[in-house]
Amino acid sequence: LLVGYALWVAGHARRRGLKRLYFVARDGQVMLDAARPVLAQVAPELELRYLHGSRQPWIFGACATSDVMLQRWSTPRLDFTPRTALARVGLTPEQAHHVTGDPAADPGRADVPLTAAERDRLAALLQRPPLLDLVRTGAERTAQETLAYLRQEGLLDGVPSALVDAGWEGRTAAAFDHLVRRGGGGRVEHLVLGTLPSAADPRREDGVALTPWLFDRQRHRGAWPAFPAPNMLVEMLCAGTTGRTLGYRIRDDEQVEPVLAAADNEPVLAWGLARMQSVAVRAAELAAPHLDERALHADLRGAVEAVLRAFWTEPTEAEARAWGSFPWEEEMWP
């Protein structure tokens, strides 16, 4: 999976004249570790970097100047409470209730799941004054911090580049594009493992062009018909060893650093993630010396699909027990 993806990314980058590849946290962590020895062998001209980012700072930052992004981001999910819904826009139930007095933000019910009517009402409150003013202020601060980080990392300097990531629907990528345009940067491509169906319209600013390698369920919804939830398996294999990126901090020396939910992703590390991923990276290191530029034209998708399908749908008992205990992480930032 990782070697095949790295070869495809390198081949695409060479055909498109890309010079720099940004592997996005956290799925991109092991992707980058495996890609380094492979691409040093077959495409040494490519510059490889690791980029801290996530839905929270990118989508929320885009909400400062995008009504489309704000509409999507302020709409609570089915399992949201007032606290989790308001946290996405940098507010607390106490703040929202103090300003509006609306029962949908009642601190006394801050951790009770919202009803359908309450979800609609809270979303509406966040998109009109006086809460809208608070949301826009917080989003603008996040946008400026994010743009400072993207500028520091060279994403606004015009070098032909691409983000390398797991993929799926493209909402986070669309928010990233919105911020880059706002910062005066050029087009950055999005190279992903796969895509999932999305309600976003690619002709609007919440839509984005993702270039997938392994499966494309946006254009071909029947792709991999006998394979349930391939994205879940990829996210398990490529889980990050650190906490997610919550935002960015500008230090006194003007350097910008990511703010992480935690320095270490303790649950998956305790499960054994680091050891499993080190084996995958070592396999890439051992394969690299046997590769040359002809490998950039190899298509390993069929082999990868067959192996993943066998593992996911017909595991041995030991595999089922080991992977069934994986500490799956469901972020509150969908």
Side-chain angles (χ1 to χ4, degrees):
L1 173 70
L2 297 178
V3 171
Y5 187 39
L7 291 171
W8 174 80
V9 164
H12 182 90
R14 183 168 289 179
R15 290 190 298 273
R16 298 284 293 175
L18 304 179
K19 305 299 183 184
R20 189 181 292 161
L21 300 176
Y22 292 87
F23 290 73
V24 182
R26 293 175 289 167
D27 298 323
Q29 181 182 354
V30 70
M31 293 177 184
L32 175 57
D33 290 343
R36 286 194 188 280
V38 172
L39 300 194
Q41 183 74 15
V42 299
E45 76 279 5
L46 291 175
E47 180 183 355
L48 310 182
R49 295 192 183 185
Y50 187 67
L51 187 72
H52 285 280
S54 75
R55 300 174 180 92
Q56 177 62 20
W58 291 3
I59 298 182
F60 185 41
C63 289
T65 49
S66 169
D67 291 336
V68 173
M69 298 286 179
L70 177 60
Q71 188 276 328
R72 286 190 175 276
W73 192 240
S74 61
T75 302
R77 242 174 35 176
L78 294 179
D79 56 346
F80 274 21
T81 66
R83 190 181 308 282
T84 54
L86 289 165
R88 299 213 303 173
V89 294
L91 298 175
T92 65
E94 289 76 13
Q95 289 173 310
H97 192 261
H98 175 74
V99 172
T100 66
D102 196 282
D106 183 359
R109 301 184 66 253
D111 299 307
V112 177
L114 292 160
T115 66
E118 289 171 336
R119 289 196 300 272
D120 292 342
R121 181 158 185 78
L122 191 55
L125 287 172
L126 291 171
Q127 295 176 70
R128 64 172 184 255
L131 283 189
L132 177 61
D133 302 330
L134 297 178
V135 171
R136 293 286 198 197
T137 298
E140 178 61 23
R141 181 170 56 251
T142 297
Q144 292 302 323
E145 293 166 345
T146 303
L147 284 170
Y149 177 71
L150 298 182
R151 187 175 297 107
Q152 171 184 283
E153 299 304 308
L155 278 155
L156 306 181
D157 62 10
V159 174
S161 303
L163 298 193
V164 181
D165 201 357
W168 318 147
E169 295 183 27
R171 293 179 183 177
T172 306
F176 170 87
D177 286 353
H178 179 92
L179 289 168
V180 168
R181 287 193 299 270
R182 182 179 174 186
R187 181 174 182 268
V188 178
E189 296 199 29
H190 297 273
L191 308 181
V192 299
L193 262 167
T195 65
L196 294 178
S198 172
D201 185 341
R203 294 167 297 181
R204 302 192 330 172
E205 63 179 327
D206 61 336
V208 65
L210 303 178
T211 304
W213 172 59
L214 199 55
F215 57 89
D216 185 357
R217 287 186 168 175
Q218 288 188 355
R219 295 175 182 84
H220 309 285
R221 299 207 171 202
W224 288 28
F227 200 127
N231 55 303
M232 291 182 66
L233 176 54
V234 170
E235 289 185 24
M236 291 167 69
L237 294 171
C238 299
T241 61
T242 65
R244 67 180 181 273
T245 303
L246 299 179
Y248 307 97
R249 178 189 300 115
I250 302 176
R251 304 186 320 208
D252 291 340
D253 61 0
E254 300 303 315
Q255 288 295 300
V256 187
E257 60 186 11
V259 178
L260 305 181
D264 297 311
N265 191 351
E266 294 288 357
V268 295
L269 291 174
W271 177 85
L273 180 78
R275 184 177 182 184
M276 181 271 289
Q277 290 186 346
S278 70
V279 174
V281 173
R282 182 57 180 151
E285 292 171 345
L286 294 172
H290 302 282
L291 302 173
D292 57 33
E293 289 197 4
R294 291 173 297 178
L296 297 178
H297 305 286
D299 187 352
L300 300 182
R301 290 176 295 177
V304 170
E305 178 185 353
V307 173
L308 293 182
R309 187 191 303 274
F311 172 68
W312 193 237
T313 62
E314 301 176 20
T316 66
E317 181 177 349
E319 289 167 345
R321 289 184 180 278
W323 286 89
S325 67
F326 187 89
W328 178 257
E329 180 182 10
E330 177 65 22
E331 293 184 9
M332 61 182 279
W333 322 114

